[in-house]
Amino acid sequence: MRSRFRSDRRLTVRMGLTLFLLGLLYVGFVAALIVLLKSWLLVVVLIGAMFVAQFWFSDRIAMFAMRGRVVEREEYPELHAVVDRLCAIADMPKPVVAVSAMDMPNAFATGRNPDHAVVCVTTGLLRRLEPAELEGVLAHELSHVAHKDVAVITIASFLGVIAGLIVRFAFYSQLFGGGRRDQNTALVFVTVMGVSAAVYALSFLLIRALSRYRELAADRAAAQLTGRPSALASALTKVTGDIARIPTKDLRTAQAFNAFYFTPAIGKEPGIERFFSTHPTLEQRLAQLGRMSVELGEAARPGAASEGH
């Protein structure tokens, strides 16, 4: 069944290109691992097992890390009502609804496909947002599910995670066992570290570029579905401002999942690191929503968020 979230061809092309380029890196990376471990069977088993674990259980991993739990309609009737309404408008399966007991206002979607997806909001978000703002945020997260970019980011992140682990493994193995190895073995370790570091750096850049675009695409899709770009803009402004007031040290755990969040957990105004951010700047997102508000004639349609599409 096709969702009524408007398709984004540019997002689809970017997702395909990112996976293709990462696939090329993946082939070279596996070849390097085979040289290191001298067993293609062991490499295939290890990589395959870790991929299955991350892809099939990514929702559980994210929920555990962010202290999220599934909530029933009786416990959060208003939250379920908003998700029900948006899913009906978008003509898509309803995801599992979860809440994280965190004061940081945020939301995220995870899962391998629309039939196995989770949308989670924090208690801090529920407490701070007005109903129209919450609807905009949830529409944003549902668009990630409908466009399947959550699954793509999960797959794309896998290679970077493995490459980072191999760099650490090779580094510490060489550091603590270097005296017991001959020159050829040491050269293999250095080579694998170099290849892994290059793979990690390239995958890091590719994932960030895709992640920034998919956030803009989700903002567009949410604004088109609800018909109220200003409500989403208001939520963005409010959430970003509140997160900026949280000390950086209190956000460190959450920052590992920035690529999945509605707004990144950044405790201060980013400097040069904005070029490596998982999200476009607040100014870029607000400018896009401002243009959409004019295009949709929002001022003339105050009840647009409740209309069917």
Side-chain angles (χ1 to χ4, degrees):
M1 181 181 295
R2 291 180 61 85
S3 164
R4 289 178 184 158
F5 273 108
R6 187 171 298 180
S7 63
D8 191 315
R9 185 173 300 176
R10 289 177 295 176
L11 175 61
T12 302
V13 169
R14 280 170 168 79
M15 289 192 296
L17 180 61
T18 299
L19 289 178
F20 174 73
L21 293 175
L22 286 173
L24 294 180
L25 285 175
Y26 187 81
V27 171
F29 186 59
V30 169
L33 288 184
I34 291 174
V35 171
L36 172 65
L37 299 177
K38 297 181 175 62
S39 171
W40 68 267
L41 181 60
L42 179 60
V43 170
V44 169
V45 171
L46 287 176
I47 295 294
M50 294 186 71
F51 175 78
V52 169
Q54 179 165 347
F55 186 60
W56 260 262
F57 301 105
S58 59
D59 53 345
R60 300 181 189 180
I61 294 171
M63 289 277 285
F64 175 79
M66 299 315 300
R67 305 198 301 273
R69 65 182 183 86
V70 176
V71 295
E72 301 300 331
R73 185 182 305 276
E74 294 75 17
E75 192 173 1
Y76 283 88
E78 294 179 1
L79 176 60
H80 272 272
V82 176
V83 175
D84 285 338
R85 182 167 64 253
L86 289 171
C87 288
I89 294 172
D91 193 17
M92 64 180 290
K94 182 182 178 181
V96 172
V97 178
V99 171
S100 170
M102 297 179 64
D103 187 57
M104 177 189 71
N106 228 318
F108 66 90
T110 184
R112 61 184 184 271
N113 58 49
D115 292 317
H116 299 85
V118 177
V119 170
C120 181
V121 298
T122 67
T123 52
L125 186 83
L126 293 175
R127 188 172 66 255
R128 289 172 171 87
L129 297 190
E130 299 297 326
E133 295 169 338
L134 177 62
E135 183 179 60
V137 173
L138 289 171
H140 172 104
E141 296 304 327
L142 288 172
S143 77
H144 282 314
V145 175
H147 289 152
K148 300 181 177 64
D149 57 75
V150 171
V152 171
I153 284 292
T154 299
I155 295 172
S157 301
F158 170 73
L159 182 57
V161 169
I162 295 298
L165 291 175
I166 293 299
V167 169
R168 294 184 183 182
F169 169 76
F171 175 77
Y172 286 114
S173 295
Q174 184 66 18
L175 181 65
F176 295 111
R180 297 189 296 273
R181 297 192 179 95
D182 58 30
Q183 187 173 358
N184 289 336
T185 304
L187 180 61
V188 169
F189 269 81
V190 171
T191 301
V192 170
M193 282 187 65
V195 171
S196 299
V199 167
Y200 179 80
L202 290 172
S203 61
F204 178 91
L205 294 175
L206 287 171
I207 292 168
R208 262 54 182 181
L210 174 61
S211 182
R212 287 192 293 271
Y213 185 84
R214 85 182 187 111
E215 293 302 330
L216 290 172
D219 285 346
R220 286 195 299 271
Q224 288 164 350
L225 186 75
T226 64
R228 295 183 65 177
S230 64
L232 181 57
S234 176
L236 268 171
T237 303
K238 188 178 295 186
V239 170
T240 302
D242 285 351
I243 290 178
R245 288 189 285 271
I246 300 175
T248 302
K249 62 181 178 64
D250 295 334
L251 296 174
R252 285 173 184 164
T253 300
Q255 286 172 349
F257 293 88
N258 270 349
F260 294 92
Y261 279 136
F262 170 66
T263 301
I266 300 175
K268 60 183 179 61
E269 183 65 25
I272 192 172
E273 61 266 26
R274 73 176 58 189
F275 298 106
F276 306 103
S277 175
T278 56
H279 289 60
T281 63
L282 176 63
E283 291 74 17
Q284 288 175 302
R285 298 176 76 176
L286 292 180
Q288 175 180 252
L289 291 170
R291 291 191 297 270
M292 292 190 66
S293 184
V294 174
E295 292 169 2
L296 295 175
E298 184 180 6
R301 301 169 63 239
S306 301
E307 297 175 5
H309 286 62

